[in-house]
Amino acid sequence: MAKGDAVRAAVVQASGELDLIDVPEPTPGPGQVLVEVDAIGAGYVDVMLRRGEYRGIPGPGSVPGAEVVGRVQAAGPGARGDLVGQRVLAVPGFGGYAEQVVVDVGRVLPVAQDADASHAVALGVNALVAEIALQRAGTSAGERVLVRGAGGGIGVLTTQIAHARGAEVTAVTSSPARGERLRELGAARIVDRTTAVPDQTYDVVVDTVAGPDTGRYLGLLRDNGRYVLCGAAGGAPAEDVLPTLIRRFHKSPTLLALSLNSVTPAELSRSWQEITALWKRGLLSPVVHRQLTLGEAGHALELLERGAPFGKVVLLPR
Ligand SMILES: NC(=O)c1ccc[n+]([C@@H]2O[C@H](COP(=O)([O-])OP(=O)(O)OC[C@H]3O[C@@H](n4cnc5c(N)ncnc54)[C@H](OP(=O)(O)O)[C@@H]3O)[C@@H](O)[C@H]2O)c1
């Protein structure tokens, strides 16, 4: 793409629709690189951005897209010039629904030259959240781990990574068909949340759902259990969270919140190395629910809003 060209981006309109429009080619600022995008990961966080529920960013006028895989085209002042030409996973937080994106070098991670871009982005943010959640919870082999929203983008990878590390995984999901697929990915037990509730206690709960049942799941922790809240696909956590924590004081529960926005470049890099090592060893399978074009980004968000995807929806800019 020649310098000065316009690039296409999916921009949130006042109506909430996403329109594919021409925007000026972005220029990398100090400490930033410009990435030519090959594949974009769509996630529930983009739904929240469209609704204007994301960190105070107004929906209209914004471009969703927390993660892309592509090639570094240019480096801004003071940014690592050696990255130019490299394939990377870039994690800008938003702005990724575009043919090109600028991102801070600390949010850029290496991707193998021969890796499939859709597969790499299907790991992307979701694998980072899963890996960091399990690490920060100090998850050990043999421990019982419960995953809420197990069929979603983050849940599918939390299930696989926890299983690969020797944990016994219970996957909470919404249908027998999803349960079957989660079993194939390493879940030892399935709880269909539409018909049942978990009847065990857990060392670790990784929760991407939150919502009205948060207190109930917090109550499933064993002595010294750890609860990692890393998403809210089911709405804000219920108000009984703190009372539940205090009522169970004698069990020494830990409640952790995790947002990738606050993770340091060093922890991101360390975690991505762990993820790519598991991937190379065949212990991690990227799960792509569907590939759509960038022009179909609105449809991707509708699927996510309905909780329909199993794994990751990927958008292709070309
Ligand atoms: N911590 C971070 O840095 C970070 C980064 C990215 C995203 N997130 C957040 O993490 C959450 C999940 O993201 P994602 O991309 O994995 O979403 P996703 O692919 O849409 O998956 C969410 C899953 O949660 C379950 N679910 C949805 N609504 C539910 C409800 N009302 N009650 C119970 N379960 C429900 C469904 O799984 P089942 O059908 O299998 O139950 C759904 O597939 C979002 O809130 C997102 O904003 C956090």
Side-chain angles (χ1 to χ4, degrees):
M1 200 168 284
K3 198 162 170 45
D5 280 351
V7 297
R8 293 182 315 154
V11 181
V12 180
Q13 305 300 303
S15 62
E17 300 289 305
L18 281 175
D19 274 2
L20 202 52
I21 59 174
D22 284 344
V23 298
E25 180 184 310
T27 306
Q32 292 184 320
V33 290
L34 175 70
V35 177
E36 180 87 18
V37 175
D38 292 325
I40 302 155
Y44 196 83
V45 68
D46 305 330
V47 173
M48 294 169 78
L49 185 131
R50 172 163 76 169
R51 288 181 187 153
E53 292 172 2
Y54 182 77
R55 283 195 294 152
I57 297 173
S62 61
V63 177
E67 57 187 330
V68 302
V69 164
R71 203 170 288 279
V72 176
Q73 291 291 103
R80 286 176 43 198
D82 61 310
L83 284 172
V84 176
Q86 298 297 309
R87 286 191 88 210
V88 293
L89 165 70
V91 187
F94 57 92
Y97 283 18
E99 291 175 320
Q100 293 188 339
V101 63
V102 291
V103 57
D104 293 345
V105 280
R107 316 294 287 177
V108 166
L109 298 156
V111 170
Q113 295 292 329
D114 59 349
D116 179 276
S118 293
H119 285 178
V121 89
L123 293 179
V125 160
N126 293 340
L128 285 165
V129 172
E131 168 69 16
I132 296 169
L134 291 165
Q135 287 287 348
R136 289 196 180 184
T139 315
S140 314
E143 287 196 313
R144 272 195 208 151
V145 174
L146 179 139
V147 183
R148 279 193 85 195
I154 295 173
V156 157
L157 285 156
T158 309
T159 300
Q160 292 191 67
I161 295 173
H163 171 65
R165 296 266 155 70
E168 184 191 306
V169 180
T170 295
V172 181
T173 189
S174 54
S175 74
R178 286 182 162 229
E180 215 31 66
R181 293 190 68 184
L182 286 159
R183 212 182 275 286
E184 286 162 13
L185 294 173
R189 288 166 63 92
I190 307 296
V191 174
D192 182 340
R193 64 179 162 88
T194 64
T195 55
V197 290
D199 58 359
Q200 284 192 328
T201 53
Y202 293 90
D203 300 294
V204 174
V205 175
V206 177
D207 185 357
T208 68
V209 176
D213 292 336
T214 315
R216 181 153 62 78
Y217 280 90
L218 189 58
L220 297 177
L221 287 183
R222 288 172 155 180
D223 287 1
N224 305 303
R226 292 86 69 199
Y227 195 101
V228 192
L229 193 56
C230 45
E239 285 177 6
D240 62 345
V241 168
L242 192 56
T244 305
L245 204 64
I246 290 167
R247 218 171 32 250
R248 304 179 71 79
F249 190 86
H250 59 289
K251 290 183 163 289
S252 310
T254 300
L255 174 61
L256 293 156
L258 170 63
S259 167
L260 276 194
N261 295 320
S262 60
V263 173
T264 63
E267 190 177 6
L268 275 185
S269 167
R270 215 168 39 243
S271 305
W272 185 242
Q273 279 174 33
E274 295 283 343
I275 291 159
T276 48
L278 287 176
W279 190 18
K280 268 194 197 139
R281 289 168 58 205
L283 297 173
L284 210 50
S285 305
V287 178
V288 176
H289 174 76
R290 212 159 146 195
Q291 286 179 326
L292 296 168
T293 65
L294 185 53
E296 295 171 307
H299 181 49
L301 297 193
E302 281 158 28
L303 292 174
L304 285 156
E305 238 165 349
R306 283 194 276 122
F310 182 88
K312 193 78 182 172
V313 177
V314 175
L315 301 174
L316 301 174
R318 281 173 291 279

